[in-house]
Amino acid sequence: MPSKFIAAGLALAALAAPASARPVSYAGGWTVMQENNGMYSSLHLHYSPTATDSIGLYTENNWDMDAVFTGLQYNRLVKRWNAPQSQGNLYLKLGAGAADPYGEDGQRAAGFAGLAADWETRRVFVSYDVRARDYGSDQSVSHAARIGLAPYVAGYGDLHTWAMVQVENHPEADNPVQVTPLLRLFTGPVLVEAGYTLEEDRFLLNWIYRF
């Protein structure tokens, strides 16, 4: 096999590392994802019956919307673009369940819908995410974009490091635009992100484990 095809295969293998932050795993794989930031804390446990679909439990304590959401989340890989030195993805995310507003009796039907897109090489990463929530007593639309750089190119199975900046827009929040410098580390099935949101004066901590 020509060396250029071997190199391309190794590059794509590194891009598809098991601990990628993407919401769909390999067929038959399970994933636990937790996010903690200045707006909400969430936990998502999902199973991927195919390489393009996943479904699982999702719960979110949203301090900005004063509600706790519990339900099911379905993720769909709508489109993937593979190139010798890069990869792009487009995902659909849908959630349905119930929201329990702070200080109120009873739960209300609730749900959300979102789109997420990313593109990366072994050195550069960019992503965009939009999500619309309806938690019964409150509705919101949020946007988040990231850009990241890898200070070195790691081999498959080694420790990967990314320095990133995330910019979010929450129109209804006291600080509609929020900037979070963060560091992403992953190796094997584990990914950890730690950062600090300047406007909210709060830490960000996300982690993912695939099995």
Side-chain angles (χ1 to χ4, degrees), residues 193-210:
E193 295 179 339
Y196 184 78
T197 303
L198 305 176
E199 291 75 16
E200 292 290 315
D201 194 26
R202 291 181 178 175
F203 287 98
L204 172 148
L205 180 62
N206 303 328
W207 61 267
I208 296 173
Y209 184 76
R210 296 199 190 278

Side-chain angles (χ1 to χ4, degrees), residues 16-195:
S20 162
R22 295 164 185 144
V24 177
S25 182
Y26 57 88
W30 288 85
T31 304
V32 181
M33 311 175 72
Q34 186 175 36
E35 295 184 56
N36 303 276
N37 56 46
M39 308 299 294
Y40 62 86
S41 177
S42 68
L43 178 65
H44 183 28
L45 170 64
H46 66 75
Y47 171 73
S48 295
T50 72
T52 57
D53 302 273
S54 71
I55 188 167
L57 299 174
Y58 179 83
T59 182
E60 177 184 303
N61 186 358
N62 194 305
W63 304 298
D64 186 56
M65 298 179 69
D66 294 330
V68 177
F69 172 87
T70 304
L72 295 176
Q73 178 173 331
Y74 168 72
N75 306 301
R76 171 75 177 181
L77 173 59
V78 178
K79 179 69 175 177
R80 171 165 288 164
W81 296 268
N82 283 319
Q85 300 297 326
S86 66
Q87 185 182 95
N89 302 277
L90 177 64
Y91 295 93
L92 172 67
K93 303 177 183 181
L94 300 173
D100 188 0
Y102 293 175
E104 298 183 23
D105 294 330
Q107 295 184 330
R108 304 179 184 185
F112 60 82
L115 288 173
D118 64 68
W119 175 85
E120 67 179 297
T121 69
R122 301 191 72 189
R123 284 282 193 181
V124 180
F125 174 90
V126 294
S127 69
Y128 170 74
D129 188 293
V130 58
R131 179 171 295 201
R133 295 174 173 87
D134 185 343
Y135 285 178
S137 60
D138 200 0
Q139 297 80 39
S140 74
V141 177
S142 61
H143 306 261
R146 283 188 180 189
I147 183 168
L149 297 173
Y152 61 92
V153 176
Y156 182 76
D158 294 336
L159 177 65
H160 295 251
T161 303
W162 290 86
M164 296 184 169
V165 175
Q166 176 174 282
V167 179
E168 299 174 85
N169 176 237
H170 301 272
E172 296 84 8
D174 294 335
N175 296 305
V177 179
Q178 301 173 15
V179 179
T180 307
L182 63 103
L183 187 67
R184 170 185 286 185
L185 304 172
F186 69 87
T187 180
V190 180
L191 179 149
V192 177
E193 295 179 339

